[in-house]
Amino acid sequence: MFILKKIISAILMPLPFLLLVGAIGLCVLWFTRQKKLASILVSVSLIGIFLCSFQPLTTSLLRPLEQENPAFVSTTKPISYVMVLGSGQVIDKTFPITSELSPTAITRLVEGIRIFRMYPDAKLILSGFGGIASHGISHARLMAHLAIALGVNKRDILLFESTKDTKEEAFQAADVVKDKNMILVTSASQMSRALYYFHQAGLQPIAAPTNFRASNKMRNFIPNATSLTQMEIVEHERLGQLWQRITSKLLDPKNEHLQAEKVKPETL
């Protein structure tokens, strides 16, 4: 199910989907006499790629997602855990560790370490599945290596290495955090969706969104790859929210939690 979900979501991202529409249009043009249908499909593809690369549009769609939760400043509550949700990685030993982790993962980790240092009694939770091409090292462990290189004591780090998605991360966190206070660090665009799962798991984390990408201070009217990335983020989150609604109606989260296998967090 996990792999299938990733494949389907990848195909439905703006660029692959619109290129597929364009490719179908060309096939219709080359192999049939339906020139009008072919022109419609190719036009939809080209116009769609233009719109998905147009910064004023993509920013206007992404910014509301990112602004749903304010950036973390501080709290007077005693904090026991700071949890950083993982992102992407690539294992290549010709790279430094800062290039093996995705820019999104590094941004989340740096924000997590910044907040972690504000609360000396807290533990830093790092999560992330290794994936098929992990070469024996999970995403959580790779982040831990960088955290240690940046001065975090390895005794203060807990790893969630088996969690494949945000929902699994939330329910494993519930088994560890229990009734203590936790700060949750992830990308601003993902924060609301992540909070939904953590609330479903019985936790009330303090949101610490980071990796903001959409600013009203910038306007670029020439289509560009950065804007296309913004649209991909919007599409990814909308699909994730749709999946939340579907699964929340089909499944009983309480029963699912009781039946889920409890995994003890790893330490370094």
Side-chain angles (χ1 to χ4, degrees):
M1 178 62 74
F2 172 75
I3 300 297
L4 180 62
K5 184 173 67 173
K6 291 295 183 182
I7 292 173
I8 293 174
S9 64
I11 293 173
L12 292 178
M13 287 298 100
L15 185 58
F17 179 77
L18 290 169
L19 287 176
L20 179 61
V21 171
I24 293 172
L26 290 176
C27 289
V28 172
L29 177 63
W30 293 338
F31 302 113
T32 74
R33 297 183 180 181
Q34 300 292 325
K35 295 187 181 297
K36 184 174 181 180
L37 175 60
S39 64
I40 291 173
L41 291 173
V42 172
S43 298
V44 167
S45 176
L46 291 175
I47 294 172
I49 291 173
F50 169 79
L51 292 175
C52 289
S53 306
F54 188 58
Q55 188 264 329
L57 174 63
T58 60
T59 294
S60 67
L61 294 174
L62 178 58
R63 187 170 173 81
L65 274 177
E66 293 188 335
Q67 296 298 317
E68 289 177 355
N69 299 280
F72 178 83
V73 179
S74 65
T75 180
T76 56
K77 295 180 180 180
I79 299 299
S80 299
Y81 298 96
V82 177
M83 183 171 180
V84 180
L85 301 188
S87 186
Q89 71 180 40
V90 58
I91 303 300
D92 189 328
K93 292 309 175 185
T94 65
F95 292 174
I97 191 171
T98 48
S99 294
E100 289 187 303
L101 287 168
S102 71
T104 297
I106 291 177
T107 302
R108 294 180 187 182
L109 179 60
V110 170
E111 177 69 357
I113 293 173
R114 180 187 76 83
I115 296 171
F116 165 76
R117 286 178 172 155
M118 296 168 64
Y119 304 96
D121 297 327
K123 296 290 185 182
L124 182 65
I125 300 176
L126 304 176
S127 68
F129 179 55
I132 297 174
S134 64
H135 298 281
I137 183 169
S138 69
H139 183 68
R141 192 166 293 269
L142 194 62
M143 285 201 297
H145 290 171
L146 181 55
I148 292 169
L150 294 176
V152 178
N153 191 317
K154 68 179 182 180
R155 291 192 295 269
D156 292 328
I157 300 175
L158 297 177
L159 304 181
F160 290 179
E161 298 184 90
S162 62
T163 51
K164 298 182 180 66
D165 56 25
T166 308
K167 187 172 186 177
E168 290 186 8
E169 290 169 330
F171 281 102
Q172 185 168 356
D175 292 330
V176 174
V177 176
K178 301 186 186 302
D179 60 349
K180 296 179 180 178
N181 293 321
M182 182 188 79
I183 294 173
L184 179 64
V185 181
T186 191
S187 298
S189 58
Q190 187 198 15
M191 182 57 76
S192 292
R193 183 164 59 91
L195 286 174
Y196 176 92
Y197 284 130
F198 278 79
H199 293 163
Q200 192 180 61
L203 296 176
Q204 297 295 324
I206 299 170
T210 187
N211 196 36
F212 290 83
R213 292 173 178 263
S215 172
N216 283 336
K217 304 298 182 182
M218 182 178 67
R219 280 289 182 269
N220 185 355
F221 295 96
I222 299 175
N224 58 85
T226 300
S227 299
L228 183 58
T229 299
Q230 288 187 342
M231 183 60 80
E232 287 180 344
I233 293 171
V234 172
E235 185 71 12
H236 178 80
E237 288 307 312
R238 293 307 183 196
L239 287 173
Q241 291 172 358
L242 177 62
W243 181 254
Q244 275 185 335
R245 296 189 192 101
I246 293 172
T247 55
S248 64
K249 291 181 179 179
L250 295 178
L251 301 173
D252 182 349
K254 294 182 179 179
N255 290 339
E256 187 179 21
H257 180 212
L258 291 173
Q259 296 170 3
E261 180 182 356
K262 294 185 178 181
V263 181
K264 185 178 180 181
E266 296 288 338
T267 56
L268 290 170

